[in-house]
Coordinates of all heavy atoms in Angstrom, one line a residue:
M141 N 0.8 -1.2 0.0 CA 0.0 0.0 0.0 C 0.9 1.2 0.0 O 1.9 1.3 0.7 CB -0.9 0.0 1.2 CG -1.9 1.1 1.3 SD -3.2 0.7 2.4 CE -2.9 1.9 3.7
R142 N 0.5 2.2 -0.8 CA 1.3 3.4 -0.9 C 1.0 4.4 0.2 O -0.2 4.6 0.5 CB 1.0 4.1 -2.3 CG 1.9 5.2 -2.6 CD 1.7 5.5 -4.1 NE 2.8 6.5 -4.4 CZ 2.5 7.7 -4.9 NH1 1.3 8.0 -5.3 NH2 3.5 8.5 -5.2
P143 N 2.0 5.0 0.8 CA 1.7 5.9 1.9 C 1.0 7.2 1.4 O 1.2 7.6 0.2 CB 3.1 6.3 2.5 CG 4.1 5.9 1.4 CD 3.4 4.9 0.6
S144 N 0.2 7.8 2.2 CA -0.5 9.0 1.8 C 0.5 10.2 1.8 O 1.7 10.1 2.2 CB -1.6 9.4 2.9 OG -1.0 9.8 4.1
D145 N 0.1 11.3 1.2 CA 1.0 12.5 1.1 C 1.4 12.9 2.5 O 2.6 13.3 2.7 CB 0.3 13.6 0.4 CG 0.2 13.3 -1.1 OD1 0.9 12.5 -1.6 OD2 -0.6 14.0 -1.8
D146 N 0.5 12.9 3.5 CA 0.8 13.3 4.8 C 1.9 12.4 5.5 O 2.8 12.9 6.1 CB -0.4 13.4 5.7 CG -1.3 14.6 5.4 OD1 -0.8 15.6 4.7 OD2 -2.5 14.5 5.7
E147 N 1.7 11.1 5.3 CA 2.7 10.1 5.8 C 4.0 10.3 5.2 O 5.1 10.2 5.8 CB 2.1 8.7 5.6 CG 0.9 8.4 6.5 CD 0.3 7.1 6.1 OE1 0.4 6.6 4.9 OE2 -0.4 6.5 6.9
R148 N 4.0 10.5 3.9 CA 5.3 10.7 3.1 C 6.0 11.9 3.6 O 7.2 11.9 3.8 CB 5.0 10.8 1.6 CG 6.2 10.6 0.7 CD 5.8 10.4 -0.7 NE 5.0 11.5 -1.2 CZ 5.4 12.6 -1.9 NH1 6.7 12.6 -2.1 NH2 4.6 13.6 -2.2
F149 N 5.3 13.0 3.8 CA 5.8 14.3 4.3 C 6.4 14.1 5.7 O 7.5 14.5 6.0 CB 4.8 15.4 4.3 CG 5.3 16.6 5.0 CD1 6.1 17.5 4.2 CD2 5.0 16.9 6.3 CE1 6.6 18.7 4.8 CE2 5.5 18.1 6.9 CZ 6.2 19.0 6.2
E150 N 5.7 13.4 6.6 CA 6.1 13.2 7.9 C 7.4 12.4 7.9 O 8.3 12.6 8.7 CB 5.0 12.5 8.8 CG 4.0 13.5 9.2 CD 4.5 14.6 10.1 OE1 5.3 14.3 11.0 OE2 4.1 15.7 9.9
G151 N 7.5 11.4 7.1 CA 8.6 10.5 7.0 C 9.9 11.3 6.5 O 11.0 11.1 7.0
R152 N 9.7 12.2 5.6 CA 10.8 13.0 5.1 C 11.2 14.0 6.1 O 12.4 14.3 6.2 CB 10.4 13.6 3.7 CG 10.2 12.7 2.6 CD 9.8 13.3 1.3 NE 10.9 14.1 0.8 CZ 10.8 15.0 -0.2 NH1 9.6 15.2 -0.7 NH2 11.8 15.7 -0.6
M153 N 10.3 14.5 6.8 CA 10.6 15.6 7.7 C 11.1 15.1 9.1 O 12.1 15.6 9.6 CB 9.3 16.4 8.0 CG 9.5 17.7 8.7 SD 10.6 18.8 7.8 CE 11.3 19.7 9.1
H154 N 10.5 14.0 9.6 CA 10.9 13.6 10.9 C 11.4 12.1 11.0 O 11.5 11.6 12.1 CB 9.6 13.7 11.8 CG 9.1 15.1 11.9 ND1 9.8 16.1 12.6 CD2 8.0 15.7 11.5 CE1 9.1 17.2 12.5 NE2 8.0 17.0 11.8
G155 N 11.6 11.5 9.8 CA 12.0 10.1 9.8 C 13.5 10.0 10.3 O 14.1 11.0 10.7
P156 N 14.0 8.8 10.3 CA 15.3 8.6 10.9 C 16.4 9.4 10.1 O 16.3 9.4 8.8 CB 15.6 7.1 10.7 CG 14.4 6.5 10.1 CD 13.4 7.6 9.9
Q157 N 17.2 10.1 10.8 CA 18.3 10.9 10.1 C 19.5 10.7 10.9 O 19.5 10.7 12.2 CB 17.9 12.4 10.1 CG 16.6 12.6 9.3 CD 16.2 14.1 9.4 OE1 17.0 15.0 9.7 NE2 15.0 14.3 9.2
E158 N 20.6 10.6 10.2 CA 21.9 10.4 10.9 C 22.4 11.7 11.5 O 22.4 12.7 10.8 CB 23.0 9.9 9.9 CG 22.7 8.5 9.4 CD 23.8 8.0 8.5 OE1 25.0 8.4 8.7 OE2 23.5 7.2 7.7
E159 N 22.7 11.6 12.8 CA 23.2 12.8 13.4 C 24.7 12.6 13.6 O 25.2 11.7 14.3 CB 22.6 13.1 14.8 CG 21.1 13.5 14.7 CD 20.6 14.1 16.0 OE1 21.4 14.7 16.8 OE2 19.4 14.0 16.2
A160 N 25.5 13.5 13.0 CA 26.9 13.5 13.2 C 27.1 14.2 14.5 O 26.5 15.1 14.8 CB 27.6 14.2 12.1
G161 N 28.1 13.8 15.3 CA 28.2 14.4 16.6 C 28.1 15.9 16.6 O 28.1 16.6 15.6
K162 N 28.0 16.5 17.8 CA 27.9 18.0 17.9 C 29.2 18.6 17.5 O 30.3 18.2 17.8 CB 27.7 18.3 19.4 CG 26.2 18.2 19.8 CD 26.0 18.8 21.1 CE 24.6 19.0 21.4 NZ 24.3 19.8 22.5
D163 N 29.0 19.7 16.8 CA 30.2 20.6 16.3 C 30.5 21.5 17.5 O 29.6 21.9 18.3 CB 29.8 21.3 15.1 CG 29.7 20.5 13.9 OD1 30.4 19.4 13.8 OD2 28.9 20.8 13.0
G164 N 31.7 22.1 17.4 CA 32.0 23.2 18.3 C 31.3 24.4 17.9 O 30.7 24.5 16.8
L165 N 31.2 25.4 18.8 CA 30.4 26.6 18.5 C 30.9 27.4 17.3 O 30.1 27.9 16.6 CB 30.3 27.5 19.8 CG 29.4 27.0 20.9 CD1 29.4 27.9 22.1 CD2 28.0 26.8 20.4
L166 N 32.2 27.4 17.2 CA 32.7 28.2 16.0 C 32.4 27.5 14.7 O 32.0 28.2 13.7 CB 34.3 28.3 16.2 CG 34.9 29.3 15.2 CD1 34.3 30.7 15.3 CD2 36.4 29.3 15.5
M167 N 32.5 26.2 14.7 CA 32.1 25.4 13.5 C 30.6 25.5 13.2 O 30.1 25.7 12.1 CB 32.5 23.9 13.6 CG 32.3 23.2 12.3 SD 33.2 23.8 10.9 CE 34.8 23.2 11.2
R168 N 29.8 25.5 14.3 CA 28.4 25.7 14.1 C 28.0 27.1 13.6 O 27.2 27.2 12.7 CB 27.6 25.5 15.5 CG 26.1 25.5 15.3 CD 25.4 25.2 16.5 NE 24.0 25.1 16.3 CZ 23.3 24.0 16.0 NH1 23.9 22.9 16.0 NH2 22.0 24.1 15.7
L169 N 28.7 28.1 14.0 CA 28.5 29.4 13.5 C 28.8 29.5 12.0 O 28.0 30.1 11.3 CB 29.4 30.4 14.3 CG 29.3 31.9 13.8 CD1 27.9 32.4 13.9 CD2 30.3 32.7 14.5
L170 N 29.9 28.9 11.6 CA 30.2 28.8 10.2 C 29.1 28.1 9.4 O 28.7 28.6 8.4 CB 31.6 28.1 10.0 CG 32.0 27.9 8.5 CD1 32.2 29.3 7.9 CD2 33.2 27.0 8.4
H171 N 28.7 27.0 9.9 CA 27.6 26.3 9.2 C 26.3 27.1 9.2 O 25.6 27.2 8.2 CB 27.3 24.9 9.9 CG 28.3 23.9 9.6 ND1 28.9 23.2 10.6 CD2 28.8 23.5 8.4 CE1 29.7 22.3 10.0 NE2 29.7 22.5 8.7
M172 N 26.0 27.8 10.3 CA 24.8 28.7 10.4 C 24.9 29.8 9.3 O 23.9 30.1 8.7 CB 24.6 29.2 11.8 CG 24.3 28.2 12.8 SD 24.3 28.8 14.5 CE 22.7 29.7 14.5
I173 N 26.0 30.4 9.2 CA 26.2 31.5 8.2 C 26.0 30.9 6.8 O 25.2 31.5 6.0 CB 27.6 32.2 8.3 CG1 27.6 33.0 9.6 CG2 27.9 33.1 7.1 CD1 29.0 33.4 10.0
L174 N 26.6 29.8 6.5 CA 26.5 29.2 5.1 C 25.0 28.8 4.9 O 24.5 29.0 3.8 CB 27.4 28.0 5.0 CG 28.9 28.3 4.9 CD1 29.7 27.0 5.0 CD2 29.2 29.0 3.6
I175 N 24.4 28.2 5.8 CA 23.0 27.7 5.7 C 22.1 29.0 5.5 O 21.2 29.0 4.7 CB 22.6 26.8 6.8 CG1 23.3 25.5 6.7 CG2 21.0 26.6 6.8 CD1 23.2 24.6 7.9
G176 N 22.4 30.0 6.3 CA 21.6 31.3 6.1 C 21.7 31.8 4.7 O 20.7 32.3 4.1
L177 N 22.9 31.8 4.1 CA 23.0 32.3 2.7 C 22.3 31.3 1.8 O 21.7 31.8 0.8 CB 24.5 32.3 2.4 CG 25.3 33.4 3.1 CD1 26.8 33.2 2.8 CD2 24.9 34.8 2.7
M178 N 22.4 30.0 2.0 CA 21.7 29.1 1.2 C 20.2 29.3 1.3 O 19.4 29.1 0.3 CB 22.0 27.6 1.6 CG 23.5 27.3 1.2 SD 24.0 25.7 2.0 CE 23.1 24.6 1.0
I179 N 19.7 29.6 2.4 CA 18.2 29.9 2.6 C 17.8 31.1 1.7 O 16.7 31.1 1.1 CB 17.9 30.1 4.1 CG1 17.8 28.8 4.8 CG2 16.5 30.8 4.2 CD1 17.6 28.9 6.3
Q180 N 18.7 32.1 1.7 CA 18.3 33.3 0.8 C 18.2 32.9 -0.6 O 17.3 33.3 -1.3 CB 19.4 34.4 1.0 CG 19.4 35.0 2.4 CD 18.1 35.5 2.8 OE1 17.5 36.3 2.1 NE2 17.7 35.2 4.0
V181 N 19.1 32.1 -1.1 CA 19.1 31.6 -2.5 C 17.8 30.7 -2.7 O 17.1 30.9 -3.7 CB 20.4 30.8 -2.8 CG1 20.2 30.1 -4.2 CG2 21.6 31.7 -2.8
A182 N 17.5 29.9 -1.7 CA 16.4 29.0 -1.8 C 15.1 29.8 -1.9 O 14.1 29.4 -2.6 CB 16.3 28.0 -0.6
M183 N 15.0 30.9 -1.1 CA 13.8 31.7 -1.2 C 13.6 32.4 -2.6 O 12.5 32.5 -3.0 CB 13.9 32.8 -0.1 CG 13.8 32.2 1.3 SD 12.3 31.2 1.6 CE 11.1 32.5 1.5
T184 N 14.7 32.8 -3.2 CA 14.6 33.3 -4.5 C 14.1 32.2 -5.5 O 13.3 32.5 -6.3 CB 16.0 33.8 -5.0 OG1 16.4 34.9 -4.1 CG2 16.0 34.4 -6.4
V185 N 14.7 31.0 -5.4 CA 14.3 29.9 -6.2 C 12.8 29.6 -6.0 O 12.0 29.4 -7.0 CB 15.2 28.7 -6.0 CG1 14.6 27.4 -6.7 CG2 16.6 28.9 -6.4
L186 N 12.4 29.6 -4.8 CA 11.0 29.4 -4.4 C 10.1 30.4 -5.1 O 9.0 30.1 -5.6 CB 10.8 29.3 -2.9 CG 9.3 29.1 -2.4 CD1 8.8 27.7 -2.9 CD2 9.3 29.2 -0.9
G187 N 10.5 31.7 -5.0 CA 9.7 32.7 -5.7 C 9.6 32.5 -7.2 O 8.5 32.7 -7.7
V188 N 10.7 32.2 -7.8 CA 10.6 31.9 -9.3 C 9.7 30.7 -9.6 O 8.9 30.7 -10.5 CB 12.0 31.7 -9.8 CG1 12.0 31.2 -11.3 CG2 12.8 33.0 -9.7
A189 N 9.9 29.6 -8.8 CA 9.1 28.4 -9.0 C 7.6 28.7 -8.8 O 6.7 28.2 -9.5 CB 9.5 27.3 -8.0
T190 N 7.3 29.6 -7.8 CA 5.9 30.0 -7.6 C 5.3 30.7 -8.8 O 4.2 30.4 -9.2 CB 5.8 30.9 -6.3 OG1 6.3 30.2 -5.2 CG2 4.4 31.3 -6.1
L191 N 6.1 31.7 -9.3 CA 5.6 32.4 -10.5 C 5.5 31.5 -11.7 O 4.4 31.6 -12.4 CB 6.7 33.5 -10.8 CG 6.3 34.4 -12.0 CD1 5.0 35.2 -11.7 CD2 7.5 35.4 -12.2
V192 N 6.4 30.6 -11.9 CA 6.3 29.7 -13.1 C 5.1 28.8 -12.9 O 4.3 28.5 -13.8 CB 7.6 28.8 -13.2 CG1 7.4 27.7 -14.2 CG2 8.8 29.7 -13.6
Q193 N 4.8 28.3 -11.7 CA 3.7 27.4 -11.4 C 2.4 28.1 -11.7 O 1.5 27.6 -12.3 CB 3.7 26.8 -10.0 CG 2.6 25.8 -9.7 CD 2.8 24.5 -10.4 OE1 2.8 24.4 -11.6 NE2 3.0 23.5 -9.6
F194 N 2.3 29.4 -11.3 CA 1.1 30.2 -11.5 C 0.9 30.3 -13.0 O -0.2 30.2 -13.5 CB 1.2 31.6 -10.9 CG 0.0 32.4 -11.0 CD1 -1.2 32.0 -10.3 CD2 -0.1 33.4 -11.9 CE1 -2.3 32.8 -10.4 CE2 -1.2 34.1 -12.1 CZ -2.4 33.8 -11.3
I195 N 1.9 30.6 -13.8 CA 1.8 30.8 -15.2 C 1.4 29.4 -15.9 O 0.5 29.4 -16.7 CB 3.1 31.3 -15.9 CG1 3.4 32.7 -15.4 CG2 3.1 31.2 -17.4 CD1 4.8 33.2 -15.7
V196 N 1.9 28.3 -15.4 CA 1.5 27.0 -15.9 C 0.0 26.8 -15.6 O -0.7 26.3 -16.5 CB 2.4 25.9 -15.2 CG1 1.7 24.5 -15.5 CG2 3.8 25.9 -15.8
M197 N -0.4 27.2 -14.4 CA -1.8 27.0 -14.1 C -2.7 27.9 -14.9 O -3.8 27.5 -15.3 CB -2.0 27.2 -12.6 CG -1.4 26.1 -11.7 SD -1.4 26.5 -10.0 CE -3.2 26.3 -9.7
L198 N -2.3 29.1 -15.3 CA -3.1 30.0 -16.1 C -3.2 29.3 -17.5 O -4.3 29.4 -18.1 CB -2.4 31.3 -16.3 CG -2.6 32.4 -15.2 CD1 -1.7 33.6 -15.5 CD2 -4.0 32.8 -15.1
V199 N -2.2 28.8 -18.0 CA -2.2 28.2 -19.4 C -3.0 26.9 -19.4 O -3.6 26.6 -20.4 CB -0.7 28.0 -19.9 CG1 -0.7 27.3 -21.2 CG2 0.0 29.4 -20.0
S200 N -2.9 26.1 -18.3 CA -3.5 24.8 -18.3 C -4.8 24.7 -17.6 O -5.2 23.7 -17.0 CB -2.5 23.8 -17.8 OG -2.2 24.0 -16.4
K201 N -5.5 25.8 -17.5 CA -6.8 25.9 -16.9 C -6.9 25.4 -15.5 O -7.7 24.6 -15.0 CB -7.8 25.1 -17.7 CG -8.0 25.6 -19.1 CD -8.9 24.8 -20.0 CE -8.9 25.4 -21.4 NZ -9.1 24.5 -22.4
G202 N -5.9 25.8 -14.7 CA -5.9 25.5 -13.2 C -5.1 24.3 -12.8 O -5.0 24.0 -11.6
E203 N -4.6 23.5 -13.8 CA -3.9 22.3 -13.4 C -2.4 22.6 -13.2 O -1.7 23.1 -14.0 CB -4.0 21.3 -14.6 CG -5.3 20.6 -14.7 CD -5.7 19.8 -13.5 OE1 -4.9 19.1 -13.0 OE2 -6.8 20.0 -13.1
P204 N -1.9 22.3 -12.0 CA -0.5 22.6 -11.7 C 0.4 21.5 -12.3 O 0.0 20.4 -12.6 CB -0.4 22.5 -10.1 CG -1.5 21.6 -9.8 CD -2.6 21.8 -10.8
N205 N 1.7 21.9 -12.5 CA 2.7 20.9 -13.0 C 3.1 20.1 -11.8 O 3.6 20.6 -10.8 CB 3.9 21.7 -13.5 CG 4.9 20.8 -14.0 OD1 5.5 20.0 -13.3 ND2 5.3 20.9 -15.3
P206 N 2.9 18.7 -11.8 CA 3.2 17.9 -10.7 C 4.7 17.9 -10.3 O 5.1 17.8 -9.2 CB 2.7 16.5 -11.1 CG 2.2 16.6 -12.5 CD 2.3 18.0 -12.9
R207 N 5.6 17.9 -11.3 CA 7.0 17.9 -11.1 C 7.4 19.2 -10.4 O 8.3 19.1 -9.4 CB 7.8 17.7 -12.4 CG 7.6 16.3 -12.9 CD 8.4 16.0 -14.2 NE 9.8 16.4 -14.1 CZ 10.5 16.6 -15.2 NH1 10.0 16.5 -16.4 NH2 11.8 17.0 -15.0
L208 N 6.9 20.3 -10.8 CA 7.2 21.6 -10.1 C 6.6 21.6 -8.7 O 7.3 22.1 -7.8 CB 6.6 22.7 -10.9 CG 7.1 24.1 -10.6 CD1 8.6 24.2 -10.5 CD2 6.5 25.1 -11.5
A209 N 5.4 21.0 -8.5 CA 4.8 20.9 -7.2 C 5.7 20.1 -6.3 O 5.9 20.4 -5.1 CB 3.4 20.4 -7.3
E210 N 6.2 19.0 -6.8 CA 7.1 18.1 -6.0 C 8.4 18.8 -5.6 O 8.9 18.6 -4.5 CB 7.3 16.8 -6.7 CG 8.1 15.8 -5.9 CD 8.2 14.4 -6.6 OE1 7.3 14.0 -7.4 OE2 9.3 13.8 -6.4
F211 N 8.9 19.5 -6.6 CA 10.1 20.3 -6.3 C 9.9 21.3 -5.2 O 10.7 21.4 -4.3 CB 10.6 21.0 -7.6 CG 11.7 22.0 -7.3 CD1 13.0 21.6 -7.1 CD2 11.4 23.4 -7.3 CE1 14.0 22.5 -6.9 CE2 12.4 24.3 -7.0 CZ 13.7 23.9 -6.8
G212 N 8.8 22.0 -5.3 CA 8.4 22.9 -4.2 C 8.3 22.3 -2.9 O 8.7 22.8 -1.8
E213 N 7.7 21.1 -2.8 CA 7.6 20.4 -1.6 C 8.9 20.0 -1.0 O 9.2 20.2 0.2 CB 6.7 19.1 -1.8 CG 6.5 18.3 -0.5 CD 5.7 17.1 -0.7 OE1 5.5 16.7 -1.9 OE2 5.2 16.5 0.3
S214 N 9.8 19.5 -1.9 CA 11.2 19.1 -1.5 C 11.9 20.4 -1.0 O 12.7 20.3 0.0 CB 11.9 18.5 -2.6 OG 11.4 17.2 -2.9
L215 N 11.8 21.5 -1.7 CA 12.5 22.7 -1.2 C 11.9 23.2 0.1 O 12.7 23.6 1.0 CB 12.3 23.8 -2.3 CG 13.0 25.1 -2.0 CD1 14.5 24.9 -1.9 CD2 12.6 26.1 -3.1
G216 N 10.6 23.0 0.3 CA 10.1 23.4 1.6 C 10.6 22.5 2.7 O 10.8 23.0 3.9
I217 N 10.7 21.2 2.5 CA 11.3 20.3 3.5 C 12.7 20.7 3.8 O 13.1 20.7 5.0 CB 11.1 18.9 3.0 CG1 9.6 18.5 3.1 CG2 11.9 17.9 3.9 CD1 9.3 17.2 2.4
W218 N 13.5 21.0 2.8 CA 14.9 21.4 3.0 C 14.9 22.7 3.8 O 15.7 22.8 4.8 CB 15.6 21.7 1.7 CG 17.0 22.0 1.9 CD1 18.1 21.2 2.1 CD2 17.6 23.4 2.1 NE1 19.2 21.9 2.4 CE2 18.9 23.2 2.4 CE3 17.0 24.6 2.1 CZ2 19.7 24.3 2.6 CZ3 17.8 25.7 2.3 CH2 19.2 25.6 2.6
L219 N 14.0 23.7 3.5 CA 14.0 24.9 4.3 C 13.6 24.6 5.8 O 14.2 25.2 6.7 CB 13.0 25.9 3.7 CG 13.4 26.6 2.4 CD1 12.2 27.2 1.7 CD2 14.5 27.6 2.7
A220 N 12.7 23.7 6.0 CA 12.3 23.4 7.4 C 13.5 22.7 8.1 O 13.8 23.1 9.3 CB 11.1 22.5 7.4
K221 N 14.2 21.8 7.5 CA 15.3 21.2 8.1 C 16.5 22.2 8.4 O 17.1 22.1 9.4 CB 15.9 20.0 7.2 CG 15.0 18.8 7.2 CD 15.5 17.7 6.4 CE 14.7 16.5 6.4 NZ 15.2 15.4 5.6
A222 N 16.7 23.1 7.4 CA 17.7 24.2 7.6 C 17.3 25.0 8.8 O 18.1 25.4 9.7 CB 17.8 25.0 6.4
A223 N 16.0 25.4 8.9 CA 15.6 26.2 10.0 C 15.7 25.5 11.3 O 16.1 26.1 12.4 CB 14.1 26.7 9.8
R224 N 15.4 24.2 11.4 CA 15.6 23.4 12.6 C 17.0 23.4 13.1 O 17.3 23.5 14.3 CB 15.1 22.0 12.4 CG 13.5 21.9 12.2 CD 13.0 20.5 12.2 NE 13.1 20.0 13.5 CZ 13.5 18.8 13.9 NH1 13.9 18.0 13.0 NH2 13.5 18.4 15.1
Y225 N 18.0 23.3 12.1 CA 19.4 23.4 12.5 C 19.8 24.8 13.0 O 20.5 24.9 14.0 CB 20.3 23.0 11.3 CG 21.7 23.0 11.7 CD1 22.3 21.9 12.4 CD2 22.5 24.1 11.4 CE1 23.6 21.9 12.8 CE2 23.9 24.1 11.7 CZ 24.4 23.0 12.4 OH 25.7 23.1 12.8
L226 N 19.3 25.8 12.3 CA 19.7 27.1 12.7 C 19.2 27.5 14.1 O 19.9 28.2 14.8 CB 19.1 28.2 11.7 CG 19.7 28.2 10.3 CD1 19.0 29.2 9.4 CD2 21.2 28.5 10.4
V227 N 18.0 27.0 14.5 CA 17.5 27.4 15.9 C 17.9 26.3 16.9 O 17.3 26.3 18.0 CB 16.0 27.7 15.8 CG1 15.7 28.9 15.0 CG2 15.2 26.5 15.4
A228 N 18.7 25.4 16.5 CA 19.2 24.3 17.4 C 18.1 23.4 17.9 O 18.2 22.8 18.9 CB 20.0 24.9 18.6
A229 N 17.1 23.2 17.0 CA 16.1 22.2 17.3 C 16.5 20.8 16.9 O 16.0 19.8 17.2 CB 14.8 22.5 16.6
S230 N 17.6 20.8 16.1 CA 18.2 19.6 15.5 C 19.7 19.8 15.3 O 20.1 20.9 15.0 CB 17.5 19.2 14.2 OG 18.2 18.1 13.6
E231 N 20.4 18.7 15.4 CA 21.8 18.7 15.1 C 22.1 18.2 13.7 O 23.2 18.2 13.3 CB 22.6 17.8 16.1 CG 22.6 18.3 17.6 CD 23.3 19.7 17.7 OE1 24.3 19.9 17.0 OE2 22.8 20.6 18.4
V232 N 21.0 17.8 13.0 CA 21.2 17.3 11.7 C 21.3 18.5 10.7 O 20.3 19.3 10.6 CB 20.0 16.4 11.3 CG1 20.1 15.9 9.8 CG2 19.9 15.2 12.2
K233 N 22.4 18.6 10.0 CA 22.6 19.6 9.0 C 21.8 19.2 7.7 O 21.8 18.1 7.4 CB 24.0 19.8 8.7 CG 24.9 20.4 9.8 CD 26.3 20.4 9.4 CE 27.2 20.4 10.6 NZ 27.4 19.1 11.2
P234 N 21.2 20.2 7.0 CA 20.5 19.9 5.8 C 21.5 19.6 4.7 O 22.7 19.7 4.8 CB 19.7 21.1 5.5 CG 20.6 22.2 6.1 CD 21.2 21.6 7.3
W235 N 21.0 19.2 3.5 CA 21.9 18.9 2.3 C 22.7 20.2 2.1 O 22.2 21.3 2.4 CB 21.0 18.7 1.1 CG 21.7 18.5 -0.1 CD1 22.3 17.4 -0.6 CD2 22.1 19.6 -1.1 NE1 22.9 17.7 -1.8 CE2 22.8 19.0 -2.1 CE3 21.8 20.9 -1.1 CZ2 23.3 19.7 -3.2 CZ3 22.3 21.7 -2.2 CH2 23.1 21.1 -3.2
P236 N 23.9 20.2 1.8 CA 24.7 19.1 1.3 C 25.5 18.3 2.3 O 26.3 17.4 1.9 CB 25.7 19.9 0.3 CG 25.9 21.2 1.0 CD 24.6 21.5 1.7
W237 N 25.3 18.5 3.6 CA 26.0 17.8 4.6 C 25.4 16.4 4.8 O 26.0 15.5 5.3 CB 26.1 18.6 5.9 CG 26.9 19.8 5.7 CD1 28.3 19.9 5.9 CD2 26.5 21.1 5.4 NE1 28.7 21.1 5.6 CE2 27.6 21.9 5.4 CE3 25.3 21.7 5.2 CZ2 27.6 23.3 5.1 CZ3 25.2 23.0 4.9 CH2 26.4 23.8 4.8
T238 N 24.1 16.3 4.5 CA 23.4 15.0 4.7 C 22.7 14.7 3.3 O 22.6 15.6 2.5 CB 22.3 15.1 5.8 OG1 21.4 16.1 5.5 CG2 23.0 15.2 7.1
E239 N 22.2 13.5 3.2 CA 21.5 13.1 2.0 C 20.3 14.0 1.8 O 19.6 14.4 2.7 CB 21.0 11.7 2.0 CG 22.2 10.7 2.0 CD 22.9 10.7 0.6 OE1 22.2 10.8 -0.4 OE2 24.1 10.7 0.6
L240 N 20.0 14.3 0.5 CA 18.8 15.0 0.1 C 17.7 14.0 -0.1 O 17.8 13.1 -1.0 CB 19.0 15.8 -1.1 CG 17.9 16.7 -1.7 CD1 17.5 17.8 -0.6 CD2 18.2 17.3 -3.0
D241 N 16.7 14.0 0.7 CA 15.7 12.9 0.6 C 14.4 13.5 -0.1 O 14.1 14.6 -0.1 CB 15.3 12.3 1.9 CG 14.9 13.3 2.9 OD1 14.9 14.5 2.7 OD2 14.4 12.8 4.0

């Protein structure tokens, strides 16, 4: 049986993830700065994807592009994992330090 969208999202967001030991505070600061910059780029990409999806929906009578929707979902999950690391809710660094799921 195929998992529902909610179950799939929960598995990707909160499923088992390898935690590499704790970094020192200086190394964590470096990672936080890099991830913060990556979030800025990701937000720009999200804005472009949103605009493209809207145009696709205008042209296709309200039907979204499923690949673009899946990309947006994956980007959102990455953003959530990045935010969890930044606020120390998790020690798991997002991609590229861990697998992109």
Side-chain angles (χ1 to χ4, degrees):
M141 185 161 110
R142 190 166 187 234
S144 71
D145 286 343
D146 288 339
E147 292 169 334
R148 194 169 57 96
F149 173 81
E150 283 299 316
R152 291 179 70 191
M153 191 61 208
H154 301 292
Q157 300 175 21
E158 292 183 29
E159 289 196 29
K162 280 191 165 192
D163 290 329
L165 286 179
L166 192 56
M167 187 57 80
R168 185 175 184 96
L169 176 63
L170 177 64
H171 285 130
M172 290 171 79
I173 291 169
L174 289 172
I175 291 169
L177 293 171
M178 291 169 71
I179 285 175
Q180 295 302 314
V181 171
M183 293 303 294
T184 301
V185 170
L186 180 61
V188 171
T190 300
L191 182 60
V192 169
Q193 185 72 295
F194 184 74
I195 292 168
V196 167
M197 291 174 69
L198 277 176
V199 172
S200 65
K201 299 178 181 147
E203 288 297 315
N205 179 300
R207 289 178 53 199
L208 191 54
E210 187 176 324
F211 169 77
E213 180 180 15
S214 295
L215 183 59
I217 289 169
W218 182 87
L219 284 164
K221 287 180 177 183
R224 291 187 75 223
Y225 181 79
L226 289 179
V227 299
S230 172
E231 292 299 318
V232 177
K233 295 176 203 75
W235 176 89
W237 293 276
T238 57
E239 290 294 317
L240 183 63
D241 57 352

